[in-house]
Amino acid sequence: QIDLIGSHAQPRPVRAGEIVTVSLVWRALREPDANYTVFVHLRDSFGRTISQADSPPQSGAYPTTFWDAGEVVADEHPIPVPADLASGDYTVVIGLYRLADGARLPITQGGAGDEITLPLVIQVR
């Protein structure tokens, strides 16, 4: 239903206690069949989620059921970096789910499962 066509994060590197903003660019492959919430997780080298930001696209201003087939939607998600987080490299994992029941939208292109590890490394200093 929805394809991720781009991503980046700013600032990089980031200090513990700051906010890193993950920008996503989506394309609707067809009209989505539900309102989806985006999850953005910051994970450590053991795969543990150390911070996250869940919200509908564009902070709820443009729900996925409004999207038309072929439409491209820019979407930003600020993630708080814990003040006590150790320096190091962290990964960003994203996906979509229905808030009503928590069911995640499955990944069908370029992977399997229900989440995508972005090719972004967030360096915390």
Side-chain angles (χ1 to χ4, degrees), residues 4-12 20-25 40 74-77 92 118-122:
L4 178 70
I5 60 173
S7 64
H8 70 276
Q10 291 295 329
R12 287 170 54 192
V20 61
T21 299
V22 176
S23 299
L24 306 171
V25 181
V40 182
D75 184 29
E76 292 189 345
H77 296 270
V92 179
L118 297 180
L120 299 174
V121 174
I122 305 301

Side-chain angles (χ1 to χ4, degrees), residues 14-83:
V14 64
R15 296 185 193 285
E18 293 183 338
I19 303 269
V20 61
T21 299
V22 176
S23 299
L24 306 171
V25 181
W26 305 101
R27 179 177 44 229
L29 299 174
R30 62 180 176 90
E31 291 181 18
D33 62 6
N35 279 324
Y36 290 98
T37 296
V38 180
F39 68 86
V40 182
H41 293 175
L42 193 60
R43 293 193 182 158
D44 66 14
S45 61
F46 298 104
R48 295 179 297 216
T49 299
I50 53 95
S51 188
Q52 70 184 68
D54 290 23
S55 73
Q58 297 183 353
S59 299
Y62 199 43
T64 55
T65 54
F66 289 11
W67 299 5
D68 293 320
E71 186 171 1
V72 174
V73 177
D75 184 29
E76 292 189 345
H77 296 270
I79 303 173
V81 177

